[in-house]
Amino acid sequence: EAGVVQSPRYKIIEKKQPVAFWCNPISGHNTLYWYLQNLGQGPELLIRYENEEAVDDSQLPKDRFSAERLKGVDSTLKIQPAELGDSAVYLCASSLSPTNEQFFGPGTRLTVL
Amino acid sequence: GESVGLHLPTLSVQEGDNSIINCAYSNSASDYFIWYKQESGKGPQFIIDIRSNMDKRQGQRVTVLLNKTVKHLSLQIAATQPGDSAVYFCAEKYNAGNMLTFGGGTRLMVKP
């Protein structure tokens, strides 16, 4: 069975440009998470979805970040405009439910120049 | 705010030796703890978990110990192999929020 799929794997952009990340969770997983991971640090939750509903987005910087999960399957995370400090790895994870084990994708490494 | 942290940023061990990775947590309400392994270019991978009503849990070559008195968590890896080289994170969770909070990570380097 395929794991969590993310694309692109790497993205380099100039500051003030927009960028979008895509995530395809494990089939049947209703809960989807987006995390931000800075170098040498643990992942930090940005947003959690239950099906198509965002149930925890308190850590998402809403002035420049947005996310959607149409039809409760795939999800996209967008940054507009990107800032230098947004350089990090953006991880997507999914689980059957909020209390089940989370499975992580490989992440998208974003570099903002 | 309350957080989960690690004592050692880098641990270097000889192949075949046992490894011990430590983690301190400060949220006394946490009732579920997980150890993750993250290899370069990959996402974190579940290793082993433990609930707060236990003080020890064993898996294949790995053991997690929980000391609630001093809020300390450790991961023991027996007969460490080169494939164990990675960054290890502890994470905590409490039912009220179902949110996973990660610590800062320890890099394990296994010398052949």
Side-chain angles (χ1 to χ4, degrees):
Chain A
E1 181 182 341
V4 176
V5 179
Q6 290 188 249
S7 69
R9 291 296 314 278
Y10 304 91
K11 188 72 175 180
I12 301 174
I13 61 172
E14 294 188 345
K15 62 182 181 182
K16 301 184 182 180
Q17 293 300 307
V19 65
F21 314 123
W22 176 79
C23 173
N24 177 237
I26 293 174
S27 178
H29 282 195
N30 296 322
T31 308
L32 184 145
Y33 312 78
W34 282 103
Y35 288 87
L36 178 151
Q37 185 174 28
N38 288 305
L39 186 64
Q41 298 183 21
E44 301 171 31
L45 182 68
L46 290 172
I47 190 169
R48 173 167 66 98
Y49 280 93
E50 291 301 325
N51 297 303
E52 65 274 10
E53 182 182 359
V55 296
D56 185 355
D57 63 353
S58 58
Q59 303 303 311
L60 190 72
K62 299 180 182 62
D63 57 335
R64 297 183 300 107
F65 287 65
S66 64
E68 61 181 10
R69 191 184 184 197
L70 299 176
K71 301 181 181 179
V73 181
D74 294 359
S75 177
T76 56
L77 178 68
K78 299 178 182 178
I79 308 175
Q80 182 171 11
E83 298 178 352
L84 295 176
D86 295 332
S87 296
V89 174
Y90 292 82
L91 293 163
C92 180
S94 71
S95 61
L96 283 170
S97 75
T99 56
N100 287 100
E101 179 184 343
Q102 294 182 29
F103 294 85
F104 286 82
T108 296
R109 180 176 294 278
L110 174 66
T111 302
V112 182
L113 303 176
Chain B
E2 298 187 284
S3 63
V4 176
L6 296 175
H7 295 157
L8 299 173
T10 304
L11 177 64
S12 184
V13 300
Q14 203 71 37
E15 180 179 359
D17 287 351
N18 297 333
S19 303
I20 299 177
I21 301 172
N22 296 301
C23 173
Y25 67 95
S26 58
N27 188 349
S28 56
S30 294
D31 57 6
Y32 180 57
F33 303 88
I34 308 172
W35 280 101
Y36 284 92
K37 172 186 180 183
Q38 187 172 25
E39 298 175 278
S40 180
K42 297 182 180 180
Q45 178 185 9
F46 174 96
I47 301 174
I48 191 168
D49 60 358
I50 188 169
R51 298 201 175 274
S52 58
N53 60 351
M54 304 172 67
D55 54 18
K56 180 179 180 179
R57 188 160 190 231
Q58 287 184 294
Q60 188 174 14
R61 286 201 306 118
V62 294
T63 300
V64 55
L65 299 178
L66 175 63
N67 186 331
K68 294 181 289 293
T69 302
V70 295
K71 297 178 184 173
H72 184 267
L73 194 68
S74 69
L75 175 70
Q76 300 179 1
I77 304 175
T80 313
Q81 302 169 0
D84 295 326
S85 294
V87 177
Y88 290 79
F89 295 95
C90 64
E92 63 168 334
K93 198 175 189 180
Y94 46 95
N95 284 335
N98 286 320
M99 189 176 75
L100 208 53
T101 301
F102 285 81
T106 291
R107 180 175 299 279
L108 176 64
M109 300 176 63
V110 183
K111 296 176 288 185

